[in-house]
Amino acid sequence: MTFFIGMKKKITACTCKLLCIFLIGGLANVNAQNKDDIRIDALLRKMTLEEKVGQMAQITLDVIGKGKNRFASFEPFSLDTAAARKALVTYKVGSVLNTANNRARTTEAWFNIINGIQNIAVKETRLAIPVIYGVDAVHGVTYTAGATMFPQQIAQAATFNRSFVQKAAAITAYETRASGIPWNFSPILDLGADPRFPRQWESFGEDPYLVTELGKEMIKGYEGDKNATSNPEKVASCLKHFLGYQTPLSGKDRTPAYISDQALREYHLPSFKAAIDAGAHTIMVNSGIVNGIPVHSNKKILTDLLKNELGFKGLVVTDWGDIENLYHRDHIAKDDKDAIMIAVNAGIDMSMVAYNYEVFCSNLVALVKEGKVKEERINDAVRRILRVKYALNLFEKPVTNFKDYPKFGSKEFEKVSYDIAAESITLLKNNNSILPLKKEMKILVAGPNANSMRTLNGAWTYSWQGEKVEEFATAYSTIVKAVEDKIGKANVIYKPGVSYKTNGKYYEEIEADMNGTIEAAKNADAIILCLGENTYTETPGNLNDLYLSDLQTELAQKLAATGKPVILVLNEGRPRCISKFEDKMQAVVQAYLPGNFGGVALADILFGDVNPSGKLPYTYPRYPNAIITYYHKPSEERTKAEGVYDYDADYNPQYKFGEGLSYTTFQYSNLKLSTHQLKGKESLLITIDVANTGHREGKEVIQLYTSDLVASITPDVKRLRGFQKISLEPGEKRTISFSITADDVAFINAENKKVTEPGTFKIQIKDLTDTFTFDN
């Protein structure tokens, strides 16, 4: 807002009123922060060393549940008050997480559990500091029965729809609070650039800009526009996993990564920096090892970069048992005490101890008394913890009551989940416009994913690995049930051919009368073949071969040999290679992990009631040894050289990042730049016309890419710099505009500085290109 002093400019009463509201609101926020800081300082002065250290410990719920030991609880769950008093009163433990027995619970059960915990923490301790309870609610409230389960993050990324991501997060925040829980270990802002990794599906995909943009929307949904987490419908978010987690050399979880400082800053850091700037309250640390150093011990990353350079004022929490791992797994500490010293001095504020909290608390107290950890470091950690507790209004309202959340699991919320699933599903191939299918056709539905709610949802659904989904999701439709509802049961033949082994590992499969499935194809007009993966996450999801399994490949090849058109539906957490049979498929549809309404959304797309509009948020590899992102270097994609050494470099993805077909057609034209010579801090306006040239309404994602043609570090071939999703009626044309500055096309140079070097840049939208030059 600009004021003109000494000029003849009238400031209306309305303008003054708006200004006053703005200033009062801003002052209110500042005053609230100052008030909290005053209270925190006063509380810290009262706290003993033991009380401070206790705040830094987090335990899992089973530790304080009635059971044979602290690793499992009896069902139905009930608090062991003696165990709870030992943890919360004697050892002053400040945080609890997770569910008991890896099982979802009702909102009423959650209220009773957390209310019981808070009664002990608040009423039976000297300073009445409430516990902060945390949970992984990564696509809905994982451990709450009846919660709205959304498509997983990778599917949400495929929508390229910012508003949907924010809506899903806002609903998840509401339902998390309905469960009495104020802290959500989400969003996942890791760069999902390695298709081998068992958590790629938990990310927003391979592109730094896409991850950054959708991460900001998710934080806004969780925390609100002004991060007002005292609102009982909002939660504190937790950025995961700082830093460089999803790209280990082996592709396997929690194994070493080798990432240069330049690459860390260029590709991995932007999403976290933007999220910190957006006000996220907490952050979780990478469980792995980067450049030989476990991140939980890396002061350069946790303090120098995160807290000092990025200015993060929030709470830094470990992942599960990761301080212990410094000793037991990584062998950089001589014992548990040494590991605690290393991690806390590196910048850890709270240890997700999980089980053996006594070891953590007793050793950390001793380390401070011995001068090996300064009490100033403890005070800093506790101040950060208390700041989050005050921001969540836990001192005034330690637990929220499920009775105050009438929209929990509502049809309104379920509609949002369906809409996201419908916009995420991505049509990758459609030979001879085989899709949409006619509803009067006789359809064979086959494959291990055809009749499974578990595979539609993925892990972190009612349990950690997703193995309990069928127990909680009986009210929803599998793919085959949705197809039956769409075209009538009499028109559907269901013969899986391959099934997942009950209670087996995710990759264990059995033949399920494959010959009968092939025989059944004779009576079908078309085949919907539902292949992919069973559920997994983290280390249990590691793989040794990116090709789709042998049994599923055999089934696909044999069904294709029948001569009936095969529509391949992929229901998978990561892009498994299908090149052994892809050319025999008439259509390919990527469903990702679309959630409880994914079956219905998929059927609507297959039979034409919904026009697909999803776009790939990653590069789909053709071969296991060709896992290259779209923003690769020029040397990875070369035409054949001249002379004796006439090699080339083959960039050969099965499907490219950003691809996705529609049942209508779009025409791009009239690409214009406001200038071809960008200077200093000027903005460049880019416009393009997009028209729906088909015969039905459709949604399209307009994607803006730039290429730095010459740079001091070998530039990427292109980078996504903007995207917009629009809906167009048949014959409708719209002009879409983007604005970029020199900073938007900057890169991290060899000195790890962000720079925009003078030179020529290419703009690309679809197949249209233009260039501009930049000069300081």
Side-chain angles (χ1 to χ4, degrees), residues 631-703:
Y631 47 86
H632 53 273
K633 301 300 182 182
S635 63
E636 296 173 282
E637 182 180 5
R638 293 186 57 183
T639 57
K640 193 170 184 179
E642 294 181 342
V644 175
Y645 300 105
D646 58 347
Y647 60 87
D648 58 10
D650 183 19
Y651 175 61
N652 55 10
Q654 190 76 64
Y655 308 108
K656 295 180 180 179
F657 173 90
E659 285 188 343
L661 303 174
S662 172
Y663 294 152
T664 190
T665 54
F666 299 97
Q667 183 180 72
Y668 288 69
S669 62
N670 202 25
L671 175 65
K672 291 183 178 179
L673 278 58
S674 60
T675 180
H676 287 86
Q677 293 181 327
L678 188 64
K679 294 180 180 295
K681 296 182 179 181
E682 294 176 346
S683 295
L684 171 64
L685 180 66
I686 303 155
T687 59
I688 193 164
D689 293 339
V690 183
N692 183 344
T693 54
H695 302 288
R696 62 179 296 172
E697 179 272 341
K699 296 182 176 71
E700 175 69 337
V701 180
I702 296 86
Q703 302 167 48

Side-chain angles (χ1 to χ4, degrees), residues 59 63-64 70 80-93 120 124 355 357-358 361:
I59 58 174
V63 171
I64 53 176
R70 64 177 59 186
D80 182 333
T81 53
R85 286 190 176 105
K86 179 185 175 186
L88 305 178
V89 180
T90 305
Y91 280 86
K92 337 293 185 187
V93 166
I120 294 172
E124 299 186 28
Y355 297 111
Y357 63 89
E358 300 97 333
C361 292

Side-chain angles (χ1 to χ4, degrees), residues 427-495:
L427 179 60
L428 296 172
K429 181 179 181 180
N430 194 18
N431 284 357
N432 302 315
S433 298
I434 183 72
L435 295 178
L437 297 169
K438 295 180 175 59
K439 294 178 183 176
E440 58 271 17
M441 296 175 77
K442 192 82 168 181
I443 302 295
L444 169 64
V445 182
N449 295 59
N451 195 32
S452 171
M453 289 307 304
R454 174 178 177 177
T455 61
L456 285 175
N457 277 284
W460 296 116
T461 311
Y462 309 116
S463 64
W464 176 41
Q465 293 292 320
E467 77 284 355
K468 295 183 176 69
V469 170
E470 307 298 346
E471 177 183 345
F472 290 92
T474 56
Y476 307 102
S477 297
T478 64
I479 295 172
V480 66
K481 177 64 164 57
V483 172
E484 289 173 347
D485 291 344
K486 178 65 63 177
I487 65 173
K489 196 168 185 177
N491 288 327
V492 179
I493 308 164
Y494 169 56
K495 300 282 286 185

Side-chain angles (χ1 to χ4, degrees), residues 186-187 189 219 237-242 272 275-276 280 282-284:
S186 177
L189 298 185
I219 291 162
S237 63
C238 185
L239 316 178
K240 301 192 304 192
H241 304 84
F242 196 80
F272 288 96
I276 290 166
T282 73
I283 199 162
M284 188 182 293

Side-chain angles (χ1 to χ4, degrees), residues 139-152:
H139 74 121
V141 194
T142 297
Y143 297 122
T144 301
T148 307
M149 293 297 172
F150 294 94
Q152 298 279 5

Side-chain angles (χ1 to χ4, degrees), residues 513-527:
D513 188 21
M514 190 181 297
N515 289 335
T517 303
I518 306 308
E519 185 67 21
K522 296 178 180 178
N523 300 315
D525 298 313
I527 302 164

Side-chain angles (χ1 to χ4, degrees), residues 577-609:
C577 295
I578 56 173
S579 54
K580 293 178 180 179
F581 59 86
E582 191 272 350
D583 61 333
K584 301 177 179 66
M585 304 291 104
Q586 275 63 53
V588 179
V589 180
Q590 176 60 282
Y592 311 97
L593 302 173
N596 277 333
F597 296 93
V600 175
L602 177 66
D604 285 345
I605 285 172
L606 293 177
F607 292 94
D609 292 331

